[in-house]
Amino acid sequence: MNLPKLIVFDFDLTILRIHSWAERVAAEDVPHRDLDADVADVAFFRAFVERARARDVPVAVASFGAFETIKGASHTLVPIRPRRRGERRSLRTFA
């Protein structure tokens, strides 16, 4: 079976039900927010990422939103690997 080399999700209005940038969600707000209310489907997203990981297919987030807010929300969903040297901040892959 041919597997994709990379799967990329947009953050606002794809992973999230809300547009965090438009709603001005700050990184310090993330721990106090309701994950189930903000994320479109927490269980599906976690299962999807775990299945991709099991097949060594990287899953990334691409966004023009606030990096620290995306990082905080993403770490709440699944761990993110550290950014590689020279890698763009707008593209992150889950560990």
Side-chain angles (χ1 to χ4, degrees), residues 45-81:
F45 188 73
R46 285 180 174 155
F48 185 94
V49 170
E50 290 305 317
R51 184 82 181 236
R53 283 179 174 169
R55 291 188 160 103
D56 293 323
V57 177
V59 178
V61 173
S63 181
F64 291 107
F67 173 74
E68 293 301 322
T69 301
I70 295 165
K71 179 179 164 185
S74 298
H75 276 275
T76 302
L77 285 168
V78 288
I80 299 178
R81 69 158 178 78

